Amino acid sequence: MTRSAEDTHRMPGRLAALLADASAEAVRAAGGRAGGVYLRSSTPGLLRLAVLAGLPGPLFRPWFRMHVDRPFPVADAYRLGVQVVLPNATETMRRYPQFAAGLPFPFGSLYVPVMAAAGSTGSSGVYGVLTVLRPAAPDATELLPARERLTRLAEELGADLRGLEVGAVPPVVWDGEPLCVLSPSTPPSAGRIGRFAWDPASDAVKTDERLHTLLGEPDVAQSVQDLAAAVATTADAPRVLAALQETAAGRPPQLPLYVRAVDGALRLMECWTAYDSATEPPDPYRVRGVVLDSGPGAAADAAADLLPDGVFCMDRLGVVRYANPRAGQLLRRSRDELLGRSLWEAVPWLNQPACEDHMRSALLAPDPVHCHVRRPADDGGEFEGDWLALSVYPSPDVLTCTVQPAGRVADSPTERESAPGVSSMTPLYRPIVLAIALTEAVTARQVSAVVMRELLPAFGGRRLAIYLLQDRHLYLAWETGFPAGFLAPFDGVGLDTRLPGVETLTTGRPLFFDSMQDLAAAYPGIALDATEGARAFLPLIASGRPVGSCILGFDRPRSFSSEERTVLTALAGLIAHAMQKAQRYESEAALARGLQQALLPRRLSAHPRVETAGRYLPGTQGMEVGGDWYDVVEAGDGLALVIGDVQGHGVQAAATMGQLRSAVRAFALGGRPPDEVMSGTNRLLIDLDPGQFASCCYIWLDPATGTALAARAGHLPPLLREPDGSTQVLHLPGGVVLGVDPRADYPVTELRLEPGAVLALYTDGLVERPDADIDIGITELRVALAKAAAPGGGQLAGMADRLTARARHARDRPDDIALLLATRRPA
C-alpha cells in the first residue's frame, strides 16, 4: 500500500487517535484509574508522554518528558524492552525510590513496551511504553490477567504504528504536549445521552431521538453549524464547531468538551472519527459523537446550592462540572467562570505545591485528602490573605470537593504537628523538594547537608546520623544534634553486630520506634542518649545494593503514620542513590586530581636572566578539578610563557589540558613563532575533541633584550607591572578560542619587558566574581599587583602567594585558578 503525501502530512492526527484509543482501552482492560502512552521523540534518548488518560495535564507536567537513562519504570521498560510490574507502593519504593518519592501514594502500575513489528527498520525496535496506574494489589500475581491484556494491546498498537510508519518521513515520534483525555467510565443514564453523526463531505448531520429529547428540539440540525448552535450557547458554539472540524481533519482535539447550554445546564460532547478499518480512511473523516448532560441533576443541584459550605465537582481532567454559589464566593469566581473550565485555569492561585500534591493524591489513591490553602489578598497579590480548608473526595469518575473558611494555620513543623485538626502537608510535598535539592549535591558531605536542611525540619527531627558501608563495616559519615562523642562507639561496627542501624541495612526494612523505651525494649543493653524521643532507622539501598543507613532522632516521643513511613522509606532510597552517586563522583574526582597533578609542571624551565613563579588552586565546588594550566618552556634562545584554560571540569578537562600542554611544549621546543604555536594547537584540539575549546595566552621572551612576542586565543589580557610600580592591562589583539575555527588567525604583538618589570598571566577564576563584571576583578588584580613588593632576591614567589591569598582562604572557589609571574633580572 502506497502512502500519499497528504496521508503523511495527516499522520500526527491519526497517530493521536490510535494512541488515545489504546490508552482508554488499556485503562479499561487493567481496571486502572489512569494511563497513557510514552513515545520516542526526535531528540535521541528522550521519551515524551503522548497521551494521558484520566489525569489533568497541569498536575503531572514533571512527568511529561523522560530520559531513557533515568531510574524510572517507563525508562527501563523502553530501554530494556521488558515489562515492569509494580503491584503496590512498597514494591515501587524498593525498585524505584525516585519515582516513589515524586508520587508517594498507594497505587500500583504496569509498563509494557510497545514493540515495532518483526522486520522493523526502526532504530530501537521500541516505539514507546503503554502504562496504566491502578489500585494497589498485594502482589504481582493478582495483576497477571491485566498484564496479559496489556501485552495484547501493546502488540496491536505496535502493529498499528508500524503500518502508520511505512513510507512516513519522519518516522513515528511525538514532540508535542500530551493529549489529555478522559479514561473510560460508567456509561451515563440512557435518558441523558444523545448521539449524532456528521459527514463533512456532504455536511449531512444525523441525530437520534434521545438527542432531540435532551436538547428539547424535534429537529436538531440540518448542518454542522446548526448542530453546534443547538448543543451550546452562542459563546460556546464556536468551540464545538472547531472541535468537530479538527476531528474531521484527522487532528483529535482535547476532548471531552464541556459547554454551556441555552438553559444554563452543563453538557459534555465527545466525538471521534468513523471509518472501516479494512479500507483507507476517507478525506475528510466522517465524525460520530455523543452529547450528554454531565451535571449531578437538577434535584441534586438545588440541594447543594443551599449548603452553607462550598461544594464543587470536577472530572478526572480537573474540569469543573458543578459549583454551588458558596464555592464561587469562596474561590472568588462566578459559577459561569468555573463551569466547563479547568480548576487551575479558572482559579490560578490554587497552583500551590501543597494543593497540587493533595489533588494528585486524590486522583491516584482511594482515600479523601484534606489540606489548607491560602487565598491571596487579591488576584494579583502575594499569599497574604486568609486560609481555606479544602477537602477532596475521590470516586472513579468525579472528584467532589468542599471548601470552607479556616482559622490560622501553623507555619512551623512543630506547630503543624500539634495543631488540632490540621494535617501536615509535609509528607506530600517534601519528597519533590528533597529530590530537587539532591540533584545539586555531588559529594557525600553535600548530600548529608541537604538531608539535614530539608529532611529534619520537614518531619520535626533534631538529630541525624548517616553511616556508609565499606568493607562490611558501617562508618559514620555525618552527624548532627547528638551529644559529643555519643556515636563514636558505633563507628566502624561490623554487619554482624546486633544494632538497629545495622539490621535496617541487612534486612532492608526500616525500623520505627515511637520512644526510647520502645528502642530499649527491642535492643536490650543498647546505649541511649538523654532524650526520650522517637527514632527512625532507614536503610540506604540503591539499585539493590547496600550503601549505608540513616538515623533520624526526635526530641519527644511520637508515632509515625503509615503515610510518613511510606515517604521516609522512599526518601531513604533517594538519599541512597545520591550517596552512591557521590561516592562515584568522589572516586572520579580523586582520579582527576591525581591526573592533573601529574600533568602540571613539577618545575619551571629556568634561565639566569629570568625568574618565574606559578600557582594553581583547584575549585571547591563540583569536581574541584578543572582545565587550567601554566608552563614555562625553553624555546630556542628564549623562554615561552604559557597559560591556558580548558572548558569544563573533571577527568575530561584535565586530560584535554594535558594534551594541549604537551602540544604547546612540542611546538615551542621546535622554535615555532607564537602565531604558529596557536594555530597548530588549535587544529590539534579540533582533531582530538570536536566541541571542546580552550583559551590560551603564549608569550615568547628574549631574556637578553627583553623583547617579547605575544599571541592570544580568547584569553584574558596579561598585566604588566613596570619597575616604578605602575601597572597596565595589555590589551593585545587576539583570535578566537582554540577548538572553534580551523582557519583562525592569531596576530602577534611585540612587547618589551624591562629589568625589574613583572608580567602576570592568569585565568578567569582569579578575577571573576558572581556579582560583578569581570573588568572589576581585573582592575582589583592590577591594583594588588601595583601594591606588591618589588621583585628581587627570590621575592617573586612571595608576590604570587600574596596575589592568590584571598582566593586560597575563600570558603568557596567556583572555578580553579592559575597564575604565572615572570620578571627579568638586571644584567
Side-chain angles (χ1 to χ4, degrees):
M1 180 171 56
T2 303
R3 182 180 305 278
S4 69
E6 178 64 19
D7 284 337
T8 300
H9 175 72
R10 292 171 57 193
M11 189 182 73
R14 300 170 67 181
L15 173 62
L18 275 176
L19 299 178
D21 290 345
S23 299
E25 185 59 34
V27 173
R28 182 186 297 110
R33 296 193 184 95
V37 179
Y38 280 87
L39 276 192
R40 61 193 184 188
S41 69
S42 58
T43 303
L46 184 68
L47 302 177
R48 284 184 177 271
L49 183 60
V51 173
L52 179 62
L55 293 174
L59 288 186
F60 293 86
R61 185 167 294 276
W63 295 271
F64 280 9
R65 306 196 316 166
M66 184 72 61
H67 197 278
V68 297
D69 290 332
R70 294 194 68 189
F72 277 70
V74 168
D76 280 358
Y78 178 86
R79 188 181 68 256
L80 304 175
V82 299
Q83 297 180 6
V84 177
V85 180
L86 304 173
N88 49 50
T90 302
E91 184 67 9
T92 304
M93 284 185 293
R94 186 184 70 82
R95 296 176 58 183
Y96 298 97
Q98 287 181 281
F99 176 58
L103 293 170
F105 313 118
F107 65 90
S109 54
L110 301 93
Y111 308 84
V112 180
V114 179
M115 310 289 291
S120 169
T121 57
S123 58
S124 69
V126 182
Y127 288 113
V129 178
L130 184 63
T131 179
V132 172
L133 309 182
R134 65 179 310 282
D139 53 56
T141 57
E142 188 173 310
L143 301 185
L144 284 176
R147 182 175 178 177
E148 293 173 357
R149 290 191 289 268
L150 285 187
T151 300
R152 288 195 297 271
L153 283 173
E155 291 172 351
E156 294 171 2
L157 179 58
D160 289 339
L161 295 181
R162 176 60 179 155
L164 192 63
E165 188 177 43
V166 173
V169 178
V172 170
V173 295
W174 191 277
D175 288 318
E177 294 285 290
L179 179 67
C180 296
V181 299
L182 280 177
S183 57
S185 60
T186 304
S189 169
R192 305 180 67 84
I193 186 171
R195 303 180 186 277
F196 66 87
W198 172 46
D199 183 359
S202 62
D203 199 26
V205 175
K206 294 182 179 180
T207 57
D208 65 2
E209 290 298 325
R210 289 175 178 169
L211 184 59
H212 300 170
T213 303
L214 177 64
L215 300 180
E217 299 182 15
D219 189 7
V220 174
Q222 299 297 324
S223 68
V224 70
Q225 287 82 3
D226 294 339
L227 177 64
V231 168
T233 62
T234 303
D236 282 340
R239 289 198 297 145
V240 173
L241 185 59
L244 292 169
Q245 292 171 339
E246 286 287 297
T247 304
R251 299 185 295 269
Q254 295 280 352
L255 292 175
L257 182 67
Y258 287 94
V259 293
R260 299 290 293 176
V262 176
D263 61 2
L266 190 66
R267 291 182 182 145
L268 179 148
M269 187 193 80
E270 291 194 63
C271 55
W272 58 90
T273 57
Y275 64 91
D276 183 355
S277 60
T279 64
E280 279 292 296
D283 184 6
Y285 291 88
R286 292 189 296 274
V287 177
R288 291 180 182 171
V290 296
V291 177
L292 61 97
D293 182 353
S294 62
D301 285 1
D305 283 353
L306 300 176
L307 292 175
D309 292 338
V311 178
F312 61 95
C313 301
M314 302 183 299
D315 67 14
R316 293 188 62 82
L317 295 187
V319 177
V320 179
R321 292 170 48 174
Y322 166 77
N324 71 355
R326 181 57 170 161
Q329 180 185 23
L330 291 173
L331 297 177
R332 293 177 179 161
R333 294 291 184 274
S334 68
R335 283 210 279 186
D336 286 343
E337 292 175 309
L338 291 171
L339 295 178
R341 289 172 173 79
S342 162
L343 180 64
W344 299 275
E345 174 190 353
V347 192
W349 54 265
L350 283 177
N351 296 334
Q352 305 177 36
C355 181
E356 290 181 349
D357 281 322
H358 280 81
M359 287 294 181
R360 277 191 283 263
S361 175
L363 287 159
L364 296 176
D367 299 324
V369 296
H370 312 279
C371 69
H372 290 77
V373 293
R374 198 167 192 177
R375 187 171 58 179
D378 54 66
D379 284 347
E382 297 296 327
F383 291 88
E384 298 175 352
D386 49 2
W387 290 88
L388 298 177
L390 179 67
S391 297
V392 185
Y393 300 88
S395 71
D397 303 316
V398 177
L399 279 71
T400 302
C401 309
T402 64
V403 60
Q404 56 185 317
R408 175 183 176 272
V409 175
D411 294 325
S412 70
T414 304
E415 289 178 308
R416 284 199 301 267
E417 288 178 4
S418 59
V422 177
S423 62
S424 171
M425 295 179 288
T426 293
L428 289 176
Y429 73 84
R430 184 56 56 178
I432 298 176
V433 176
L434 180 64
I436 294 172
L438 283 175
T439 62
E440 303 297 326
V442 294
T443 68
R445 186 172 185 84
Q446 290 171 345
V447 171
S448 302
V450 167
V451 174
M452 180 185 71
R453 184 178 68 246
E454 299 290 343
L455 188 61
L456 285 186
F459 290 87
R462 296 292 183 270
R463 291 166 171 77
L464 170 69
I466 294 179
Y467 288 83
L468 296 180
L469 180 64
Q470 183 178 353
D471 298 329
R472 297 189 58 78
H473 288 76
L474 286 175
Y475 294 93
L476 184 63
W478 179 278
E479 67 167 306
T480 183
F482 286 92
F486 174 75
L487 295 178
F490 305 104
D491 191 15
V493 297
L495 293 186
D496 56 350
T497 309
R498 190 175 185 274
L499 290 171
V502 174
E503 294 191 356
T504 190
L505 179 62
T506 56
T507 63
R509 293 184 296 101
L511 301 174
F512 298 95
F513 301 96
D514 294 351
S515 67
M516 296 298 278
Q517 289 82 357
D518 292 346
L519 176 60
Y523 293 88
I526 190 174
L528 304 175
D529 56 32
T531 65
E532 295 297 321
R535 290 289 184 272
F537 296 84
L538 308 174
L540 302 183
I541 300 175
S543 303
R545 297 184 177 182
V547 175
S549 58
C550 175
I551 304 172
L552 299 180
F554 303 83
D555 286 344
R556 301 186 304 273
R558 57 160 295 172
S559 60
F560 296 89
S561 68
S562 59
E563 185 179 40
E564 287 178 316
R565 292 174 184 240
T566 297
V567 174
L568 282 171
T569 304
L571 291 176
L574 275 181
I575 297 167
H577 278 274
M579 279 294 183
Q580 187 180 58
K581 181 184 72 173
Q583 290 173 326
R584 290 197 302 264
Y585 190 92
E586 289 171 346
S587 298
E588 183 180 353
L591 174 62
R593 283 191 294 269
L595 175 61
Q596 187 176 52
Q597 290 300 319
L599 294 174
L600 285 172
R602 295 183 179 274
R603 64 179 183 84
L604 301 177
S605 297
H607 191 281
R609 294 290 303 277
V610 178
E611 179 185 354
T612 58
R615 295 292 182 270
Y616 174 80
L617 299 175
T620 60
Q621 298 178 6
M623 183 61 74
E624 302 181 2
V625 176
D628 291 13
W629 91 94
Y630 62 86
D631 207 351
V632 179
V633 187
E634 295 180 11
D637 296 332
L639 290 179
L641 309 174
V642 189
I643 197 160
D645 183 0
V646 178
Q647 70 157 355
H649 297 81
V651 173
Q652 180 61 44
T656 302
M657 176 270 285
Q659 292 172 317
L660 292 188
R661 175 173 175 261
S662 298
V664 171
R665 287 184 67 87
F667 287 128
L669 290 170
R672 301 281 189 91
D675 57 334
E676 292 187 16
V677 173
M678 290 289 94
S679 297
T681 307
N682 175 50
R683 289 190 294 269
L684 177 66
L685 178 57
I686 292 174
D687 291 340
L688 286 173
D689 191 355
Q692 186 90 338
F693 61 86
S695 66
C696 184
C697 184
Y698 179 97
I699 299 178
W700 178 86
L701 175 65
D702 184 344
T705 65
T707 300
L709 302 176
R712 191 163 62 95
H715 201 80
L716 297 174
L719 302 179
L720 179 63
R721 183 185 192 274
E722 299 289 2
D724 62 2
S726 62
T727 59
Q728 60 177 307
V729 179
L730 301 177
H731 293 289
L732 309 176
V736 298
V737 293
L738 306 175
V740 174
D741 181 3
R743 297 178 298 277
D745 294 324
Y746 298 96
V748 177
T749 304
E750 184 173 331
L751 310 169
R752 181 168 178 78
L753 188 65
E754 299 291 345
V758 178
L759 188 65
L761 308 180
Y762 54 94
T763 58
D764 55 3
L766 187 59
V767 294
E768 205 166 33
R769 308 283 185 271
D771 54 350
D773 188 88
I774 196 169
D775 289 337
I776 296 176
I778 294 175
T779 300
E780 292 175 351
L781 180 61
R782 181 178 62 79
V783 171
L785 183 64
K787 293 180 179 179
Q795 295 182 10
L796 201 63
M799 182 182 291
D801 288 336
R802 284 189 288 277
L803 293 177
T804 56
R806 185 171 69 173
R808 189 168 55 252
H809 295 104
R811 295 186 60 183
D812 291 315
R813 286 193 299 273
D815 200 0
D816 50 345
I817 293 170
L819 172 69
L820 178 63
L821 302 179
T823 185
R824 286 178 65 218
R825 296 187 178 99

